[in-house]
Amino acid sequence: MKTVALHYSFEFLAGMRNRTLLLMNYLMPLGFYALVGTMMAQINPFFGDQMIPAMVAFAILSGTIMGLPTPLIESREGGILRSFRVHGFSAAPLLAMPAITTAVHTGLVAAVITLTAPMLFDAPAPTDPWTFVLITALLAFALSGLGSLIGVVSAGSKVAILWQQLIYLPSMILGGLMIPVEILPDAFARVAHLLPATYGMQAFLGGAFGMESLYSPAAAAGVLFAGGIAAFGLALYLFSWDDKNGGRRGHPALAALALLPYAIGAIFLVS
Amino acid sequence: MEELAIEVRGLRKTYDDFVAVDGIDFEVRRGEIFGLLGPNGAGKTTTLECLEGLRDADEGEMLVGGVDPGSNRKKLYRGIGVQLQSGSLPGYMTVREALRLFGAHRGVTPDPGIPARLGLAEHMDTQYAALSTGQKRRTDLALAILHRPGVLFLDEPTAGLDVSTRIALHGIIEELRESGTTVILSTHDMAEAEELADRVAILIRGRIAAIGSPRDLTATGHGMTRISARTTGASLGCGAFADFRPEGEYFVGFTTTPGPAVMRIMDHISRAGDTLVDLRVERPSLEERFLEMVRDESA
């Protein structure tokens, strides 16, 4: 237990000491929130209705998809994981600790957004706060799973950027953060449903804000949970301690299976 | 029968077509300091990494503290300490945080004497990325020994260390041996191996070219022992010994039979009524023997 507490406290502090993580966890989401809150409400008056879920989803995307993979890759390339291994650490805490601390960092940002947006931008607050917290946690779980998986299977930081952008940009554009999914053409709507952020937005709107959603918020939450389990399970299975020792248990292409729950959701939930 | 800390039988490891380790056998006795020497690419690090459970061997059997490193890593890591050559820590982790985290994981409270003796006391709150190379290696070493392991693997432990820290480290290694820890030392520093190791194995092209105590290994070479003598008079000059030449104030010669040669010199000085001021007998160093073996293998 003491090891877990010490490991967690170090990871949490590292998130504050590391400028890149500080940027991804705090500065980018809060800066974007301030910018979007000021501008988007004037451009699109209806944006205010979903400002809180959209900005919370953006904060989680930044912290997990953009922030999690690089430190993991650098740890593998720099021999840090090898050092932890010879001291008897197992792979699970090395994957879980950064994910948990990132979730806490983004949770703090989500709290700031949720508490200030109603006052600053007249955005509606969640009608069901506990469901809002639960969905925030589920979205963080699903996306941190994908972030960890990208870090595990990417051969280097440059490759990771490609995978990160493949999740991050479509999530921003198609995931319902800026444009409602229901106005997208059918093909785009289905592509959007391969991304966790889309399910997160639907769960937020239908489950925590009392608005209309495309399908049951519980179903969306179920897809996020299954997606998180699949991503973390695959990350653990495909985890390798170093680049030199070819000890990976499966082919990195297996990581694509992490999208299976979302693909099933896209088939059965999107009419 | 002496208790063995490490047993290696027929260890072989290849990388595609390159044979890094070619069926080697050796044993390390409990409480022994065992040096693993060899030129770059000889297979030292691969051997160590197989024993440390970081690489899977292609063939052969290994036991480290009675544990097979390939199949029971959890038990292996409880009993060993490892200072990797290419290891590292998170750049934002301070020395204090590292000692506390790894100590807690090992279930021990770090002995404050360890960082002090390794010259880390002033750097406890410095982040790993801000440490010098030597300080990083000392931190890695402090982590490797904080739980007093049964078997300690040291890969180039003194690379980048200053003289005083190096001496302190040698002292710590010898203390660990006294307390029963077995030390496997991979090093390029022959003087270090000669000073510390009870036995060494010289690896060349993935095979063990020689194994034994540094004294035995140097004795089996074709190297000559150097004898230097200085007297008040000039009894050693004037061609008294055909194989001796003046070098400054000394007369210096080389022999394969140092005992009789010294007796002969002493007798000559005495008969000539001269007085011996200084006599030095220097056997071939491990480094000379090592170079000789590398040359022989390459020939």
Side-chain angles (χ1 to χ4, degrees), chain B residues 37-65:
Chain B
L37 312 177
N40 288 336
K44 302 188 299 293
T45 298
T46 298
T47 303
L48 278 188
E49 290 187 344
C50 289
L51 291 170
E52 292 161 358
L54 289 172
R55 290 183 195 274
D56 293 322
D58 297 335
E59 290 172 27
E61 292 169 10
M62 296 174 286
L63 284 177
V64 177

Side-chain angles (χ1 to χ4, degrees), chain B residues 240-241 243-244 255 259-269:
Chain B
F241 292 94
D243 46 356
F244 269 63
T255 177
V262 167
M263 294 296 287
R264 201 157 47 98
I265 291 165
M266 298 294 285
D267 188 48
H268 176 81
I269 292 169

Side-chain angles (χ1 to χ4, degrees), chain A residues 34-49:
Chain A
L35 187 74
V36 166
T38 310
M39 293 177 62
M40 277 296 276
Q42 293 173 10
I43 298 166
N44 175 7
F46 299 105
F47 177 74
D49 292 345

Side-chain angles (χ1 to χ4, degrees), chain A residues 3 17 78 82-83 87-88 245, chain B residues 49 54 87-88 92 97 104-105:
Chain A
T3 311
R17 292 170 183 164
R82 285 159 60 87
S83 293
H87 285 284
N245 191 16
Chain B
E49 290 187 344
L54 289 172
S88 189
Y92 297 97
E97 286 168 343
H105 185 70

